[in-house]
Amino acid sequence: MGVKKIDLTFLPSPDEIALIAAVMWLDAIEAANRAGQAQHVALSGGRITQKLFAATVAQSRSRKLSFAGVHFFWADERCVPPEDSESNFRMARELLFAPLNIAPDRIHRIRGEDSPETAAQSAEADLRRVVSAPPAESPVLDLIFLGLGEDGHVASLFPSEPDERVSDQAVYRAVFNSPKPPPRRITLGYPAIAAARQVWMLASGAGKERALHESLQPDGQTPFARVLRLRAQTKILTDISLDRPMTA
Ligand code: 6PG
Protein backbone atom coordinates (compact mmCIF):
# COMPACT_ATOMS: atom_id res chain seq x y z
CA MET A 1 0.00 0.00 0.00
CA GLY A 2 1.51 3.33 -1.02
CA VAL A 3 1.46 6.56 0.98
CA LYS A 4 -2.08 7.71 1.71
CA LYS A 5 -2.71 11.44 1.33
CA ILE A 6 -5.47 12.80 3.52
CA ASP A 7 -6.29 16.40 2.75
CA LEU A 8 -7.93 17.47 6.04
CA THR A 9 -9.51 20.93 6.40
CA PHE A 10 -11.10 22.07 9.65
CA LEU A 11 -13.95 24.58 9.28
CA PRO A 12 -16.06 26.30 11.95
CA SER A 13 -19.52 25.11 10.95
CA PRO A 14 -21.61 22.90 8.66
CA ASP A 15 -22.51 26.01 6.67
CA GLU A 16 -18.83 26.73 6.04
CA ILE A 17 -18.26 23.09 5.02
CA ALA A 18 -21.18 23.28 2.60
CA LEU A 19 -20.01 26.62 1.16
CA ILE A 20 -16.41 25.52 0.58
CA ALA A 21 -17.51 22.17 -0.86
CA ALA A 22 -20.01 23.88 -3.17
CA VAL A 23 -17.41 26.33 -4.49
CA MET A 24 -14.90 23.52 -5.07
CA TRP A 25 -17.58 21.43 -6.80
CA LEU A 26 -18.60 24.28 -9.11
CA ASP A 27 -14.93 24.92 -9.88
CA ALA A 28 -14.54 21.23 -10.78
CA ILE A 29 -17.62 21.35 -13.02
CA GLU A 30 -16.29 24.47 -14.77
CA ALA A 31 -12.94 22.76 -15.32
CA ALA A 32 -14.67 19.68 -16.75
CA ASN A 33 -16.79 21.90 -19.02
CA ARG A 34 -13.68 23.71 -20.27
CA ALA A 35 -12.06 20.36 -20.98
CA GLY A 36 -15.18 19.16 -22.79
CA GLN A 37 -15.55 16.33 -20.28
CA ALA A 38 -18.56 15.00 -18.42
CA GLN A 39 -18.55 14.85 -14.61
CA HIS A 40 -19.90 11.65 -13.10
CA VAL A 41 -20.73 12.37 -9.48
CA ALA A 42 -22.27 10.23 -6.71
CA LEU A 43 -24.27 11.92 -3.97
CA SER A 44 -24.89 10.88 -0.38
CA GLY A 45 -27.86 11.65 1.84
CA GLY A 46 -28.00 13.18 5.29
CA ARG A 47 -28.02 16.63 6.83
CA ILE A 48 -24.70 17.97 5.54
CA THR A 49 -25.74 16.95 2.02
CA GLN A 50 -28.86 19.11 2.31
CA LYS A 51 -26.62 22.05 3.12
CA LEU A 52 -24.28 21.17 0.26
CA PHE A 53 -27.19 21.26 -2.18
CA ALA A 54 -28.48 24.60 -0.92
CA ALA A 55 -24.99 26.13 -1.04
CA THR A 56 -24.39 24.75 -4.54
CA VAL A 57 -27.62 26.29 -5.84
CA ALA A 58 -26.86 29.61 -4.14
CA GLN A 59 -23.28 29.77 -5.41
CA SER A 60 -24.30 28.77 -8.95
CA ARG A 61 -26.55 31.86 -9.19
CA SER A 62 -23.47 34.11 -9.51
CA ARG A 63 -21.87 31.94 -12.19
CA LYS A 64 -22.69 31.31 -15.83
CA LEU A 65 -22.29 27.58 -15.41
CA SER A 66 -23.76 24.72 -17.39
CA PHE A 67 -24.62 21.52 -15.54
CA ALA A 68 -25.40 19.74 -18.83
CA GLY A 69 -22.23 17.67 -18.57
CA VAL A 70 -22.91 16.44 -15.04
CA HIS A 71 -24.33 12.94 -14.51
CA PHE A 72 -25.79 12.36 -11.06
CA PHE A 73 -25.53 9.00 -9.34
CA TRP A 74 -25.80 8.04 -5.66
CA ALA A 75 -23.34 6.68 -3.13
CA ASP A 76 -26.34 5.18 -1.40
CA GLU A 77 -30.13 5.21 -1.45
CA ARG A 78 -32.75 4.02 0.93
CA CYS A 79 -35.09 1.23 -0.27
CA VAL A 80 -38.14 3.46 -0.33
CA PRO A 81 -40.23 4.91 -3.19
CA PRO A 82 -38.93 8.12 -4.80
CA GLU A 83 -41.66 10.23 -3.19
CA ASP A 84 -40.82 8.96 0.32
CA SER A 85 -39.45 11.56 2.73
CA GLU A 86 -36.50 9.20 3.36
CA SER A 87 -35.53 9.06 -0.32
CA ASN A 88 -32.10 10.54 -1.11
CA PHE A 89 -33.36 11.04 -4.67
CA ARG A 90 -36.32 13.07 -3.45
CA MET A 91 -34.02 15.29 -1.36
CA ALA A 92 -31.75 15.89 -4.35
CA ARG A 93 -34.68 16.54 -6.68
CA GLU A 94 -36.16 19.15 -4.36
CA LEU A 95 -32.94 20.87 -3.25
CA LEU A 96 -30.66 20.50 -6.28
CA PHE A 97 -32.18 19.17 -9.52
CA ALA A 98 -35.33 21.29 -9.59
CA PRO A 99 -33.61 24.60 -8.68
CA LEU A 100 -30.86 23.90 -11.25
CA ASN A 101 -33.26 22.56 -13.85
CA ILE A 102 -31.22 19.37 -14.32
CA ALA A 103 -32.33 17.29 -17.32
CA PRO A 104 -33.94 13.93 -16.40
CA ASP A 105 -31.46 11.97 -18.53
CA ARG A 106 -28.64 13.22 -16.29
CA ILE A 107 -30.27 11.79 -13.16
CA HIS A 108 -29.54 8.11 -12.54
CA ARG A 109 -31.91 7.30 -9.72
CA ILE A 110 -31.50 4.09 -7.76
CA ARG A 111 -34.92 2.41 -7.84
CA GLY A 112 -35.58 2.20 -4.12
CA GLU A 113 -39.10 0.94 -4.78
CA ASP A 114 -37.76 -2.32 -6.29
CA SER A 115 -36.43 -5.30 -4.37
CA PRO A 116 -32.95 -4.48 -2.99
CA GLU A 117 -31.22 -7.05 -5.17
CA THR A 118 -32.99 -5.79 -8.30
CA ALA A 119 -32.26 -2.17 -7.40
CA ALA A 120 -28.57 -2.90 -6.86
CA GLN A 121 -28.29 -4.72 -10.19
CA SER A 122 -30.08 -2.01 -12.16
CA ALA A 123 -28.06 0.72 -10.45
CA GLU A 124 -24.84 -0.99 -11.53
CA ALA A 125 -26.16 -1.51 -15.08
CA ASP A 126 -27.17 2.17 -15.26
CA LEU A 127 -23.76 3.31 -14.02
CA ARG A 128 -21.96 1.01 -16.48
CA ARG A 129 -24.06 2.36 -19.36
CA VAL A 130 -22.73 5.85 -18.65
CA VAL A 131 -19.28 5.11 -17.21
CA SER A 132 -17.78 2.24 -19.15
CA ALA A 133 -15.36 -0.15 -17.48
CA PRO A 134 -14.13 -3.72 -18.07
CA PRO A 135 -16.67 -6.15 -16.56
CA ALA A 136 -14.31 -7.17 -13.75
CA GLU A 137 -13.54 -3.59 -12.76
CA SER A 138 -15.53 -0.83 -11.08
CA PRO A 139 -16.59 2.11 -13.19
CA VAL A 140 -14.49 5.14 -12.19
CA LEU A 141 -16.64 7.96 -10.90
CA ASP A 142 -15.12 11.45 -11.03
CA LEU A 143 -16.34 12.49 -7.61
CA ILE A 144 -18.11 10.87 -4.67
CA PHE A 145 -19.51 12.95 -1.81
CA LEU A 146 -19.59 11.12 1.52
CA GLY A 147 -20.93 11.99 4.95
CA LEU A 148 -19.66 10.41 8.18
CA GLY A 149 -21.92 8.51 10.50
CA GLU A 150 -21.55 8.58 14.29
CA ASP A 151 -20.30 4.99 14.00
CA GLY A 152 -17.87 5.84 11.21
CA HIS A 153 -20.13 4.60 8.42
CA VAL A 154 -19.97 6.06 4.93
CA ALA A 155 -22.70 5.70 2.31
CA SER A 156 -24.51 2.63 3.69
CA LEU A 157 -21.37 0.72 4.61
CA PHE A 158 -21.61 0.01 8.32
CA PRO A 159 -19.13 -1.27 10.94
CA SER A 160 -21.28 -4.27 11.77
CA GLU A 161 -20.64 -5.93 8.42
CA PRO A 162 -18.80 -9.25 8.44
CA ASP A 163 -15.36 -9.13 6.81
CA GLU A 164 -16.46 -11.08 3.74
CA ARG A 165 -18.94 -8.30 2.97
CA VAL A 166 -16.10 -5.79 3.15
CA SER A 167 -14.33 -7.64 0.34
CA ASP A 168 -17.54 -7.90 -1.72
CA GLN A 169 -16.53 -6.69 -5.21
CA ALA A 170 -20.04 -5.63 -6.25
CA VAL A 171 -20.34 -2.08 -7.56
CA TYR A 172 -23.66 -1.62 -5.75
CA ARG A 173 -25.03 -3.92 -3.09
CA ALA A 174 -28.06 -4.36 -0.91
CA VAL A 175 -28.01 -3.71 2.83
CA PHE A 176 -30.79 -5.29 4.91
CA ASN A 177 -30.01 -4.34 8.48
CA SER A 178 -28.82 -0.78 8.45
CA PRO A 179 -28.48 0.51 12.03
CA LYS A 180 -29.41 3.90 10.60
CA PRO A 181 -33.09 3.77 9.56
CA PRO A 182 -34.50 2.84 7.21
CA PRO A 183 -33.01 -0.64 7.45
CA ARG A 184 -32.92 -1.58 3.76
CA ARG A 185 -30.58 0.35 1.49
CA ILE A 186 -28.49 0.18 -1.64
CA THR A 187 -24.88 1.28 -1.37
CA LEU A 188 -21.76 1.61 -3.45
CA GLY A 189 -19.32 -1.05 -2.34
CA TYR A 190 -15.75 -0.37 -1.23
CA PRO A 191 -14.22 -1.06 -4.68
CA ALA A 192 -16.25 1.67 -6.41
CA ILE A 193 -15.43 4.18 -3.69
CA ALA A 194 -11.77 3.18 -3.84
CA ALA A 195 -11.72 3.60 -7.63
CA ALA A 196 -13.22 7.10 -7.79
CA ARG A 197 -10.94 9.90 -8.98
CA GLN A 198 -11.97 12.03 -6.01
CA VAL A 199 -13.76 11.34 -2.75
CA TRP A 200 -14.79 14.35 -0.65
CA MET A 201 -15.86 13.55 2.92
CA LEU A 202 -18.04 16.24 4.48
CA ALA A 203 -17.82 15.22 8.13
CA SER A 204 -20.12 17.29 10.28
CA GLY A 205 -22.27 16.92 13.34
CA ALA A 206 -22.20 16.25 17.05
CA GLY A 207 -21.08 12.96 18.48
CA LYS A 208 -18.65 12.10 15.68
CA GLU A 209 -15.32 12.91 17.34
CA ARG A 210 -14.59 9.26 18.09
CA ALA A 211 -15.69 8.14 14.63
CA LEU A 212 -13.40 10.63 12.90
CA HIS A 213 -10.51 10.04 15.27
CA GLU A 214 -10.79 6.24 14.86
CA SER A 215 -11.13 6.58 11.08
CA LEU A 216 -7.87 8.55 10.87
CA GLN A 217 -5.89 5.84 12.67
CA PRO A 218 -3.79 3.66 10.29
CA ASP A 219 -5.40 0.57 11.81
CA GLY A 220 -8.83 2.11 12.22
CA GLN A 221 -11.74 -0.29 12.02
CA THR A 222 -14.51 2.00 10.77
CA PRO A 223 -15.85 1.87 7.21
CA PHE A 224 -14.35 5.31 6.61
CA ALA A 225 -10.97 4.06 7.87
CA ARG A 226 -11.23 1.24 5.32
CA VAL A 227 -11.98 3.77 2.56
CA LEU A 228 -8.98 5.88 3.56
CA ARG A 229 -6.71 2.84 3.39
CA LEU A 230 -8.04 1.88 -0.02
CA ARG A 231 -7.43 5.28 -1.61
CA ALA A 232 -4.30 7.22 -2.52
CA GLN A 233 -6.01 10.50 -1.67
CA THR A 234 -9.14 11.59 0.12
CA LYS A 235 -10.35 15.11 0.92
CA ILE A 236 -11.99 15.76 4.29
CA LEU A 237 -13.84 18.94 5.21
CA THR A 238 -14.93 18.84 8.84
CA ASP A 239 -16.22 20.91 11.76
CA ILE A 240 -15.42 18.08 14.20
CA SER A 241 -12.79 19.08 16.72
CA LEU A 242 -10.12 16.46 17.44
CA ASP A 243 -8.53 18.58 20.16
CA ARG A 244 -10.54 17.12 23.03
CA PRO A 245 -8.98 13.91 24.45
CA MET A 246 -10.93 10.79 23.58
CA THR A 247 -12.77 9.59 26.68
CA ALA A 248 -12.63 5.82 27.15
C1 6PG B 1 -27.54 8.23 4.13
C2 6PG B 1 -26.20 8.86 3.99
C3 6PG B 1 -25.30 8.57 5.18
C4 6PG B 1 -24.93 9.96 5.69
C5 6PG B 1 -24.25 9.89 7.04
C6 6PG B 1 -24.06 11.31 7.61
O1 6PG B 1 -28.18 7.99 3.11
O2 6PG B 1 -27.99 8.09 5.28
O3 6PG B 1 -25.60 8.63 2.81
O4 6PG B 1 -24.15 7.86 4.87
O5 6PG B 1 -24.06 10.58 4.75
O6 6PG B 1 -25.06 9.11 7.90
O7 6PG B 1 -25.33 11.90 7.73
P1 6PG B 1 -25.45 13.37 8.45
O8 6PG B 1 -24.72 14.33 7.56
O9 6PG B 1 -26.94 13.62 8.52
O10 6PG B 1 -24.81 13.24 9.82
Side-chain angles (χ1 to χ4, degrees), residues 40-172:
H40 305 117
V41 60
L43 307 171
S44 278
R47 294 158 296 179
I48 193 63
T49 301
Q50 288 184 0
K51 289 186 174 289
L52 170 69
F53 292 167
T56 300
V57 171
Q59 288 299 311
S60 72
R61 297 289 184 233
S62 60
R63 299 192 189 203
K64 294 215 179 326
L65 178 70
S66 167
F67 287 85
V70 185
H71 283 261
F72 297 88
F73 299 89
W74 273 266
D76 69 337
E77 180 57 281
R78 292 83 178 277
C79 291
V80 297
E83 299 310 322
D84 190 293
S85 62
E86 289 284 343
S87 165
N88 286 345
F89 161 78
R90 176 178 166 176
M91 180 171 85
R93 184 186 61 198
E94 290 174 356
L95 300 180
L96 189 70
F97 302 151
L100 294 180
N101 198 24
I102 301 295
D105 68 347
R106 292 298 189 265
I107 301 168
H108 305 279
R109 180 175 75 83
I110 296 175
R111 293 177 53 84
E113 67 274 28
D114 291 349
S115 75
E117 295 86 346
T118 304
Q121 286 164 8
S122 50
E124 174 170 351
D126 196 11
L127 176 57
R128 287 186 180 279
R129 257 194 301 279
V130 177
V131 185
S132 56
E137 293 176 22
S138 277
V140 178
L141 287 156
D142 295 302
L143 172 59
I144 299 177
F145 283 104
L146 295 177
L148 184 66
E150 289 78 358
D151 57 0
H153 77 253
V154 294
S156 290
L157 298 168
F158 293 96
S160 52
E161 285 192 304
D163 283 350
E164 63 270 14
R165 292 288 279 158
V166 174
S167 55
D168 186 329
Q169 292 303 302
V171 175
Y172 278 105

Side-chain angles (χ1 to χ4, degrees), residues 21-29 39 41 56 72 96 143 145 200:
V23 168
M24 290 194 309
W25 186 16
L26 295 174
D27 290 350
I29 294 171
Q39 189 194 64
V41 60
T56 300
F72 297 88
L96 189 70
L143 172 59
F145 283 104
W200 297 355

